[in-house]
Amino acid sequence: MTTMLTKAKVLEPMEPNRATKLFGGEASGILNWNDIKYPHFYEIREEIRAQFWIAAEVDMTPDVKQFATLTAAEQDAYLKIIGLLATLDAPQTDLAAKLADFTTDPSVKSIMATVADQESEHNHSYAYVLSSVTDLNGQIEAFEMGRRDPVLLKRNERIVEIYNEFAETPTIETALKAMVYTSLLEGMYFYSAFAYFYNLARHNKMVATSTMISFINRDELQHARFISELFRATLAENPEYNNEQFIEWVYDQYRHNVEMEKEWATYVLSDVEGIEMEDMIGYIKYRANKMLRMMGLSEIYEDYYDNPMKWIRAYVDNFDGVKTDFFEQKSRQYTKTSDLNGFDDL
């Protein structure tokens, strides 16, 4: 019979400070970063914490002026993709909090608190960006996409199922499945969307938006790394799930969601100049392989071991290469402003 997880107590002084397990273990609730079960979690925590930023630091003034000059196809893709990102990022704050509720390792709780805060700022940034380029009705319509657009609803069916299953029936298995879908979101789902904004930027369009997306993308890379490490450690602590049936389930989810991502990318990007769909599909498969490797699993797509859209590296940090300092990119503009979206400069 599957054992239900219970929410970890806040303080349990008679139990050890170093957690005995990630889920279903014993821990006092007292966090000593110099004495944790997985010491490398501290390094990840420091890397995530070092990336603090807020949406209001990006001056959107140039994009306010430029949005009206985009083609109809570019404007449509822009609004649909922001709607997609808002739909997917909004629940990440809640999921991070729910994983934190059930972990018995206080170091994981601490990291998840930072992740939840960053995901909340990501969601805020989409509203901030939209308020720069469209009126309130347009903003509301973009955020309604996740509830109404049939292609997006189909694409998100399984993530809705898996996240709600964990929320309603928290077990080791449902927690592992939620981690798999978090890795899909933060390591693959967002990337065709990010690529769209980087493609605009390399044509000197909507550069402020792409700067904001770079900040988000940089965070997501670190979140994906942590969730992969958490998945591997949880699986190691619960070897009964490290079996052929569960691992094949993971591969099936990746295969299914690559097809969903291909369908979505074709739907939203096929009329956009500068992105070849063959390259985009290759990029999606490349990202799937990369995330599977990070999770300790094997690649499932032969011949997709390298990024077919290498120009993207100019816009975002990359685990496999030298960090790109996006403040030095000549095509980008980064200006801090204390005024909402820089409207006082218009």
Side-chain angles (χ1 to χ4, degrees):
M1 184 177 176
T2 301
T3 303
M4 293 283 289
L5 294 172
T6 57
K7 289 186 177 181
K9 294 180 180 179
V10 176
L11 283 172
E12 196 66 29
M14 295 300 102
E15 294 182 356
N17 287 346
R18 181 192 292 191
T20 58
K21 290 185 70 177
L22 292 166
F23 295 91
E26 297 178 347
S28 68
I30 300 169
L31 175 56
N32 175 6
W33 282 107
N34 297 314
D35 183 29
I36 57 178
K37 185 173 175 63
Y38 297 97
H40 68 292
F41 282 5
Y42 177 74
E43 297 174 9
I44 298 175
R45 182 252 186 198
E46 291 298 279
E47 290 170 355
I48 294 174
R49 294 272 310 167
Q51 298 179 170
F52 178 81
W53 61 277
I54 61 173
E57 292 177 337
V58 180
D59 178 10
M60 294 295 298
T61 304
D63 288 16
V64 173
K65 299 173 181 177
Q66 197 171 43
F67 184 75
T69 70
L70 298 182
T71 66
E74 288 172 337
Q75 288 187 10
D76 184 62
Y78 187 104
L79 296 174
K80 282 181 176 176
I81 290 171
I82 291 291
L84 157 80
L85 291 170
T87 298
L88 294 178
D89 247 343
Q92 291 302 97
T93 300
D94 193 29
L95 183 76
K98 281 182 166 53
L99 283 168
D101 279 343
F102 290 98
T103 181
T104 42
D105 189 321
S107 70
V108 176
K109 288 183 182 294
S110 177
I111 294 170
M112 283 300 182
T114 300
V115 169
D117 177 66
Q118 289 182 342
E119 296 292 359
S120 176
E121 187 60 20
H122 297 175
N123 191 67
H124 166 239
S125 72
Y126 303 132
Y128 179 85
V129 164
L130 283 173
S131 71
S132 303
V133 300
T134 188
D135 60 19
L136 181 59
N137 288 335
Q139 297 165 40
I140 291 172
E141 185 177 347
F143 273 82
E144 287 287 320
M145 274 195 61
R147 300 173 56 243
R148 295 180 179 174
D149 188 280
V151 177
L152 191 51
L153 284 168
K154 178 183 176 183
R155 181 185 186 277
N156 293 344
E157 278 179 353
R158 288 198 184 182
I159 191 169
V160 171
E161 175 188 340
I162 295 299
Y163 276 11
N164 285 338
E165 182 184 21
F166 172 63
E168 295 166 3
T169 313
T171 66
I172 295 294
E173 182 177 6
T174 59
L176 284 166
K177 288 181 175 180
M179 291 178 213
V180 169
Y181 267 80
T182 297
S183 76
L184 278 162
L185 253 74
E186 300 189 335
M188 192 192 79
Y189 271 19
F190 294 143
Y191 284 76
S192 64
F194 294 160
Y196 168 73
F197 294 109
Y198 299 150
N199 178 64
L200 286 179
R202 70 174 177 153
H203 292 94
N204 294 315
K205 298 178 180 181
M206 309 302 286
V207 173
T209 302
S210 75
T211 298
M212 187 87 76
I213 293 296
S214 280
F215 289 172
I216 295 168
N217 197 168
R218 186 182 59 173
D219 289 348
E220 300 297 11
L221 286 168
Q222 294 294 349
H223 298 177
R225 178 188 175 197
F226 176 63
I227 208 69
S228 297
E229 292 293 330
L230 184 62
F231 174 84
R232 294 172 72 166
T234 304
L235 204 59
E237 287 186 359
N238 299 274
E240 64 271 25
Y241 294 102
N242 192 5
N243 57 56
E244 184 177 353
Q245 181 180 359
F246 182 72
I247 299 305
E248 189 55 40
W249 179 88
V250 176
Y251 289 139
D252 284 345
Q253 304 316 301
Y254 266 82
R255 292 187 191 98
H256 170 80
N257 285 287
V258 163
E259 293 305 309
M260 292 295 98
E261 186 71 7
K262 285 165 56 178
E263 186 175 320
W264 167 259
T266 302
Y267 167 64
V268 78
L269 297 177
S270 58
D271 294 329
V272 173
E273 183 180 351
I275 295 181
E276 297 294 332
M277 288 313 303
E278 183 178 353
D279 288 344
M280 177 56 69
I281 291 169
Y283 184 54
I284 292 166
K285 291 180 177 179
Y286 156 76
R287 288 298 315 174
N289 278 343
K290 187 169 184 175
M291 286 311 304
L292 286 167
R293 288 197 305 273
M294 288 177 64
M295 295 172 72
L297 303 176
S298 300
E299 299 97 339
I300 56 177
Y301 296 103
E302 292 184 8
D303 303 323
Y304 291 96
Y305 308 120
D306 296 314
N307 182 358
M309 298 199 299
K310 291 181 172 56
W311 54 267
I312 284 178
R313 293 177 181 173
Y315 297 94
V316 67
D317 296 349
N318 190 296
F319 284 146
D320 293 340
V322 178
K323 281 183 125 181
T324 300
D325 184 353
F326 48 80
F327 293 106
E328 296 177 357
Q329 296 300 320
K330 292 182 180 179
S331 64
R332 312 177 69 76
Q333 298 294 326
Y334 176 85
T335 307
K336 286 193 176 186
T337 177
S338 59
D339 300 314
L340 182 61
N341 290 6
F343 281 129
D344 286 353
D345 296 329
L346 293 178

